[in-house]
Amino acid sequence: MENKKYYITTPIYYPSAEFHIGHCYTTIIADAIARYKRLSGYDVFFQTGTDEHGQKIEKKAFDANLTPKEYIDPIIANAKDLWSKLGISYDYFIRTTDEDHIKRVQEIFKIMYDKGDIYKGEYKGLYCTPCESFWTESQLDEDGKCPDCHREVHEVSEEAYFFKLSKYQKKLEEHYETHPNFILPLSRKNEMLNNFIKPGLEDLCVSRTSFKWGIPVDFDNKHVIYVWIDALSNYITSLGYPDTKSELYKKYWPADVHLVGKEIVRFHTIIWPCMLMSLGIELPHQIFGHGWLIIDGGKISKSLGNYKDPREYINLYGVDAVRYFALREVPFGNDGNFSEEFLISRTNADLVNNLGNLVNRTVAMSKKYFDSIVSNPKVYKEEDDNLINYATMLPSIVDSKMDLLKINEVLEDIFELLKRSNKYIDDTTPWILAKDEKETDRLKTIIYNLLESIRISAVLLRAFIPDTADKIFKMLNTKKIDFDSLNKFGELEENIKLNEAEILFARIEKK
Ligand SMILES: [Zn+2]
């Protein structure tokens, strides 16, 4: 039987400067979901990439005396290195400067034009001549001048192509109604409906003549295709669209989820679905708009420059500490706070005290009492119920919360098992039982229950902190690492010998 497919995307990021912890946040979440789905047996396609055209990059490159491509190539190489250090398991990295993408975007533009959904009109805007930039009213500085150079702007108009967004207003509203989970969290859906759709959709300017760094309209090449059609199309051009017979397209479209930051929810829930309706193809199942990671109180931003290279955190604290923090700290959908201090407290509390301690105590007891040999004589007592029942239920709790992408709660639930295991040690007092030979089988059972709880936690943690899970499997010397091994409590092999304990996370001293 063919596996069910799952197609997940991050936004394509704008590489006008080096990537920061905010980019990592979205990408780590997407990676954890992709890994979880793979472990659940799905055939996953996980895509990320970069949106490389536009005036801002053109200008930055010009100022640096480089071509745009020369300017962005090192940033992309650096981003790929960052993803590799974070263990991001993407299947495809799309760049909007890829030849395939360029050709396919031109075809998409032409399909919409031929259909009558794109027409030529006049674009009116506020223009700064020295900067060669269009601005909207809200972008101007306090004096109503150019936000870059603070000189006068003039109203000018240029010939441009427009997409008939207004034509799809009703269809879009219907789609929202008939697909209640199309936009999550629901608050974002209401925001879109009330602030943008109900007041009426206006046709959208989809080309420019004021800059050159973009994909030319191939039948009218003084125009370049503006960001909307260029960037949003990445989710289908990577699959071969407009070739609807392409294997990837047939297999993976429509996307199961587009993960996006809340600032671009509007483009993904209004412009993108209308484009797809115009093309006459299926809409993605879901757009999930997550909040921002607020760094030290202010929004992380390239222009504020208030961030460290994320690799510094990885080098200092380990990749799984960074991944765990991003996944655990923020209630998904809301804003969360990032600071190095929070990262340190979270690592010490959960990864060092809870997880690391439990594993080390248990492996050490097994070595001390039974020469690291695992066995389960099944001498149970009532005090085991709380632990075993929870460990047995946990996989299905995790699974249903993953469907809602409540990753922070999933981690909380998994760590609850570790917490209960630590308490189980305190309650059963193995060090007292060890003094009484009649209790040997009871003691073996207790150690087994602990090791099995650790194994179950590690299997469930594979998607989130994969390196740590692997270290635990190695210590447990177990081959039971797949989701199939979660069907019942007691799958850990008997008569295996544990490997030496190793420190999973070192305590971090506060600065
Ligand atoms: Zn200016």
Side-chain angles (χ1 to χ4, degrees), residues 128 130-131 135 146 148-151:
C128 173
C131 293
W135 303 106
C146 171
D148 266 5
C149 72
H150 306 288
R151 281 179 279 213

Side-chain angles (χ1 to χ4, degrees), residues 96-260:
T96 56
T97 51
D98 291 340
E99 301 236 336
D100 285 347
H101 176 78
I102 291 172
K103 189 174 123 273
R104 288 168 188 161
V105 165
Q106 288 174 326
E107 288 166 9
I108 287 168
F109 196 92
K110 186 77 173 22
I111 294 170
M112 292 166 71
Y113 179 78
D114 287 344
K115 197 177 170 182
D117 281 351
I118 286 179
Y119 62 91
K120 206 184 245 186
E122 288 278 308
Y123 175 74
K124 282 199 181 65
L126 299 162
Y127 192 71
C128 173
T129 313
C131 293
E132 297 181 42
S133 299
F134 274 102
W135 303 106
T136 62
E137 203 86 47
S138 62
Q139 288 173 319
L140 300 179
D141 69 10
E142 308 91 75
D143 305 323
K145 293 183 176 168
C146 171
D148 266 5
C149 72
H150 306 288
R151 281 179 279 213
E152 292 286 339
V153 293
H154 310 277
E155 187 166 297
V156 295
S157 61
E158 63 172 29
E159 180 189 278
Y161 287 94
F162 285 81
F163 170 41
K164 282 186 187 166
L165 212 51
S166 52
K167 174 178 164 186
Y168 292 98
Q169 161 133 10
K170 200 156 180 299
K171 254 184 111 175
L172 185 64
E173 283 181 62
E174 279 166 15
H175 188 82
Y176 279 25
E177 253 167 57
T178 49
H179 299 78
N181 290 329
F182 181 60
I183 308 175
L184 287 179
L186 284 181
S187 57
R188 306 235 191 273
K189 169 179 165 174
N190 296 331
E191 189 189 334
M192 292 305 124
L193 268 173
N194 297 329
N195 297 359
F196 300 108
I197 299 178
K198 287 197 177 138
L201 293 177
E202 282 178 34
D203 290 353
L204 181 75
C205 181
V206 291
S207 78
R208 290 289 192 278
T209 54
S210 53
F211 64 91
K212 285 279 155 245
W213 179 236
I215 301 176
V217 175
D218 57 355
F219 54 87
D220 189 358
N221 59 26
K222 81 175 203 248
H223 292 265
V224 295
I225 297 170
Y226 197 52
V227 60
W228 317 123
I229 292 180
D230 177 359
L232 289 166
S233 298
N234 90 85
Y235 303 125
I236 48 177
T237 59
S238 62
L239 304 178
Y241 187 86
D243 176 9
T244 51
K245 292 196 180 68
S246 121
E247 282 305 315
L248 286 174
Y249 179 82
K250 280 194 297 187
K251 187 165 188 182
Y252 292 111
W253 191 255
D256 292 272
V257 61
H258 293 313
L259 272 189
V260 298

Side-chain angles (χ1 to χ4, degrees), residues 219-460:
F219 54 87
D220 189 358
N221 59 26
K222 81 175 203 248
H223 292 265
V224 295
I225 297 170
Y226 197 52
V227 60
W228 317 123
I229 292 180
D230 177 359
L232 289 166
S233 298
N234 90 85
Y235 303 125
I236 48 177
T237 59
S238 62
L239 304 178
Y241 187 86
D243 176 9
T244 51
K245 292 196 180 68
S246 121
E247 282 305 315
L248 286 174
Y249 179 82
K250 280 194 297 187
K251 187 165 188 182
Y252 292 111
W253 191 255
D256 292 272
V257 61
H258 293 313
L259 272 189
V260 298
K262 63 181 177 182
E263 75 285 5
I264 52 173
V265 167
R266 181 155 65 102
F267 314 141
H268 283 80
T269 57
I270 296 176
I271 300 173
W272 179 227
C274 292
M275 274 176 62
L276 293 168
M277 287 175 190
S278 172
L279 294 169
I281 63 176
E282 273 188 89
L283 306 198
H285 293 312
Q286 188 170 92
I287 287 100
F288 195 104
H290 64 73
W292 286 328
L293 203 55
I294 313 282
I295 191 165
D296 290 331
K299 182 179 174 278
I300 303 169
S301 97
K302 293 170 196 169
S303 53
L304 290 173
N306 56 354
Y307 57 89
K308 274 191 190 174
D309 185 304
R311 274 161 291 211
E312 289 184 45
Y313 302 119
I314 300 173
N315 292 338
L316 278 169
Y317 310 121
V319 57
D320 280 351
V322 176
R323 287 178 64 102
Y324 181 76
F325 181 89
L327 296 165
R328 172 65 182 82
E329 191 73 16
V330 184
F332 201 32
N334 296 331
D335 289 343
N337 281 300
F338 177 87
S339 75
E340 203 159 346
E341 203 187 321
F342 292 153
L343 173 66
I344 292 172
S345 328
R346 183 56 83 182
T347 303
N348 282 340
D350 292 4
L351 299 176
V352 178
N353 291 351
N354 197 355
L355 172 62
N357 259 348
L358 173 68
V359 174
N360 279 293
R361 281 166 95 186
T362 307
V363 172
M365 285 191 291
S366 170
K367 184 177 181 186
K368 185 170 173 193
Y369 303 139
F370 304 115
D371 197 25
S372 302
I373 304 291
V374 178
S375 63
N376 183 13
K378 300 187 177 164
V379 179
Y380 292 119
K381 287 197 175 174
E382 209 182 319
E383 59 194 349
D384 303 343
D385 292 351
N386 188 23
L387 183 72
I388 294 179
N389 291 344
Y390 187 76
T392 308
M393 283 175 348
L394 183 59
S396 64
I397 298 175
V398 165
D399 209 48
S400 56
K401 288 195 176 168
M402 280 306 286
D403 280 345
L404 304 169
L405 307 186
K406 292 185 171 173
I407 296 178
N408 66 308
E409 290 183 25
V410 163
L411 288 173
E412 214 177 322
D413 293 340
I414 299 172
F415 274 70
E416 173 65 23
L417 178 58
L418 302 170
K419 210 163 101 192
R420 288 186 191 210
S421 302
N422 275 313
K423 183 164 183 302
Y424 180 73
I425 298 179
D426 299 339
D427 291 347
T428 55
T429 59
W431 54 93
I432 294 174
L433 300 179
K435 291 177 187 150
D436 183 350
E437 243 173 62
K438 293 199 300 295
E439 296 286 2
T440 301
D441 280 355
R442 173 63 187 151
L443 182 57
K444 282 182 180 168
T445 306
I446 290 170
I447 303 290
Y448 183 88
N449 289 343
L450 287 165
L451 291 169
E452 174 65 347
S453 298
I454 291 169
R455 184 193 69 84
I456 289 171
S457 311
V459 172
L460 291 170

